[in-house]
Amino acid sequence: MQAYKLAEQALVGKRNADTVALAMYFVPQPVSRKDGFRRTVNIKANPMGFATGSNLNFDLGLPKLMAKAKPVFCEAFRLEGHYESKSGYPTTVSVQSDSDGDFKVVSMQRLFPNVSQDSLQQLHGELAQQYASAIKAGIAKLEMKTPRVELRFMHPIMIQGAGAGSDEASKLFQAHWQQGWMEFKGKNIGLLGAMKTVADHNKNSVPACKPQVLTLN
């Protein structure tokens, strides 16, 4: 019910198939963990297997629905999408609300599980070399947590005090600001501060988001 009300508000009071479709993205998703990695269960296929995850869920249908229905969200939201790469590696993409009302990619994470310690060490070395500039810039993290290697990329909005180092690394860090949240560049307020600012701005500027005036009677 809360998810439907949220979708209805985002679509300015409309009640139609788009409202139902949008609400499904804001229903807390059942999740299971395997090798320390979040995997989302399809709640439409198994609605009785309900459990609340820490993040909401999205798929490729969300951008199509956004383009069609053009919802306006009052709050700032974070959603996760899970898939396996062509090589079979579990991957998570996280998107976050931007000030223009659209969702932008804020982080990507891929796990490389393997049973061989030697293979893991070799893979870790290859990835460290391949993404050396991104790691120096602070927008990538590479960790070996036996029995897997974890590679994560982050938007600069998630990082405070990063981007120092070589010119190449600094340019890469600055270039990633073009992917969203441009008005927060250089303010170093972090993701939570930016999201609060976005939500406060929407509540004050978007008519559908302003609190309703209740009569005393």
Side-chain angles (χ1 to χ4, degrees):
M1 290 176 61
Q2 290 176 333
Y4 186 87
K5 288 179 181 178
L6 177 65
E8 186 181 8
Q9 180 190 49
L11 294 175
V12 198
K14 293 180 182 177
R15 295 185 178 185
N16 52 31
D18 289 342
T19 313
V20 177
L22 184 62
M24 291 305 299
Y25 289 102
F26 292 90
V27 175
Q29 300 292 311
V31 297
S32 61
R33 294 182 180 273
K34 183 178 180 182
D35 297 328
F37 191 81
R38 291 171 49 84
R39 291 193 176 185
T40 301
V41 179
N42 186 351
I43 196 171
K44 297 178 184 177
N46 185 19
M48 299 305 294
F50 184 83
T52 302
S54 60
N55 287 319
L56 304 168
N57 180 56
F58 78 91
D59 57 23
L60 292 177
L62 179 61
K64 296 179 181 178
L65 182 60
M66 293 279 292
K68 175 187 176 186
K70 296 179 174 57
V72 176
F73 299 109
C74 300
E75 299 289 342
F77 295 101
R78 178 185 180 90
L79 300 96
E80 284 188 353
H82 308 275
Y83 72 98
E84 287 192 353
S85 68
K86 293 181 180 179
S87 302
Y89 298 120
T91 305
T92 292
V93 177
S94 300
V95 296
Q96 193 95 25
S97 307
D98 201 349
S99 55
D100 60 2
D102 207 350
F103 287 98
K104 307 289 173 58
V105 176
V106 74
S107 69
M108 296 182 289
Q109 177 191 38
R110 176 162 291 171
L111 298 185
F112 300 87
N114 201 307
V115 294
S116 168
Q117 183 70 16
D118 291 340
S119 296
L120 282 178
Q121 289 178 341
Q122 181 179 350
L123 175 62
H124 185 276
E126 292 173 354
L127 291 173
Q129 184 176 2
Q130 183 174 352
Y131 298 108
S133 59
I135 294 171
K136 283 183 180 180
I139 58 174
K141 286 187 177 180
L142 179 64
E143 297 180 297
M144 192 164 82
K145 302 176 180 178
T146 306
R148 67 185 190 271
V149 171
E150 179 179 318
L151 177 64
R152 188 181 186 206
F153 291 93
M154 298 162 289
H155 188 279
I157 193 70
M158 297 184 67
I159 308 156
Q160 298 197 25
S166 67
D167 290 340
E168 179 185 3
S170 180
K171 289 178 181 178
L172 185 61
F173 180 81
Q174 297 299 327
H176 273 68
W177 275 106
Q178 306 302 322
Q179 307 299 323
W181 300 282
M182 282 293 291
E183 67 272 38
F184 299 107
K185 182 178 180 180
K187 295 183 180 179
N188 203 27
I189 64 173
L191 184 64
L192 294 179
M195 294 304 102
K196 184 180 184 305
T197 302
V198 170
D200 290 344
H201 174 268
N202 290 352
K203 290 176 182 178
N204 291 324
S205 62
V206 179
C209 298
K210 292 182 179 179
Q212 296 181 357
V213 178
L214 302 180
T215 59
L216 293 179
N217 59 357

